């Protein structure tokens, strides 16, 4: 990730706002919190702060989906799961949500974990996995925002990061 935003920095006010938001989440939510509450307290404030607009929320037993739009017109799917839940069907459900939304990317939020997956055209499972509040720490917030802000999807920052990661992985294998 340091290759994406090596010198990125956030101002102290933004840092404080993110910390305040996460403190509210930790006080309101946990493993027993229902999906609708997670949607209202965690998902919508998070993705709103990241510059997305959400449409078409759908609630099912144990999950929710929505279509996220960036300012530049990109579509990203959202799959919300209960706190810390990672089921065997998560990947399939994420690619299905992306297909329904017409999106190439899907954000899987199972607080405190946010995973971003390329949901179209990949046979292998690749993802960017971030843990809150670690990603909101002063040393990592700027990189977090560089990778997951709505504008990052408009400028293909994740595509660049994945390409760099694949190159680095190939270099390590060659050694």
């Amino acid at each position: 990730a340091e290759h994406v935003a090596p010198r990125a920095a956030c101002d102290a006010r933004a840092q404080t706002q993110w910390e305040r938001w996460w403190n509210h989440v930790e006080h309101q939510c946990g493993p027993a919190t229902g999906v609708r509450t997670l949607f209202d307290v965690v998902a919508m404030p998070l993705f709103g702060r990241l510059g997305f607009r959400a449409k078409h929320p759908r609630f099912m037993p144990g999950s929710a989906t929505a279509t996220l739009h960036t300012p530049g017109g990109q579509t990203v799917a959202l799959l919300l799961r209960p706190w810390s839940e990672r089921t065997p069907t998560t990947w399939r459900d994420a690619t299905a949500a992306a297909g329904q939304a017409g999106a190439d990317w899907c954000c899987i939020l199972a607080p405190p974990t946010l995973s971003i997956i390329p949901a179209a055209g990949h046979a292998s499972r690749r993802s960017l996995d971030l843990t809150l509040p670690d990603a909101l720490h002063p040393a990592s917030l700027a990189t977090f925002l560089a990778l997951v802000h709505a504008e990052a999807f408009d400028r293909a920052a994740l595509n660049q990061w994945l390409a760099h990661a694949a190159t680095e992985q190939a270099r390590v294998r060659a050694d």
Side-chain angles (χ1 to χ4, degrees):
E2 66 275 0
H3 300 285
V4 177
R7 293 188 178 91
C10 284
D11 64 44
R13 190 176 67 158
Q15 181 68 44
T16 301
Q17 291 171 348
W18 281 101
E19 288 173 357
R20 190 175 307 134
W21 168 75
W22 184 253
N23 286 335
H24 174 72
V25 168
E26 285 185 317
H27 285 93
Q28 296 291 316
C29 302
T33 306
V35 170
R36 284 186 184 264
T37 300
L38 290 175
F39 189 83
D40 292 338
V41 175
V42 184
M44 289 302 91
L46 172 62
F47 288 101
R49 287 174 145 297
L50 291 172
F52 291 95
R53 295 197 48 119
K55 294 186 178 183
H56 313 296
R58 291 183 45 227
F59 295 91
M60 291 80 58
S63 68
T65 62
T67 302
L68 304 174
H69 295 281
T70 68
Q74 295 294 317
T75 301
V76 179
L78 168 63
L79 173 64
L80 177 64
R81 294 285 198 187
W83 196 273
S84 296
E85 181 180 281
R86 295 300 261 194
T87 66
T89 63
T90 298
W91 196 270
R92 182 189 68 210
D93 294 345
T95 56
Q100 290 172 352
D104 291 336
W105 294 93
C106 184
C107 295
I108 305 167
L109 179 59
T113 303
L114 171 63
S115 298
I116 302 172
I117 67 164
H122 296 284
S124 64
R125 295 182 177 186
R126 302 183 299 167
S127 67
L128 173 62
D129 299 315
L130 305 152
T131 303
L132 304 171
D134 297 341
L136 306 178
H137 186 273
S140 56
L141 180 60
T143 302
F144 170 75
L145 294 174
L147 291 170
V148 301
H149 195 277
E151 293 171 354
F153 289 88
D154 289 334
R155 66 177 189 276
L158 282 173
N159 289 331
Q160 295 168 12
W161 182 80
L162 286 173
H164 179 78
T167 301
E168 185 67 15
Q169 183 178 28
R171 185 190 65 76
V172 169
R173 284 183 180 158
D175 287 345

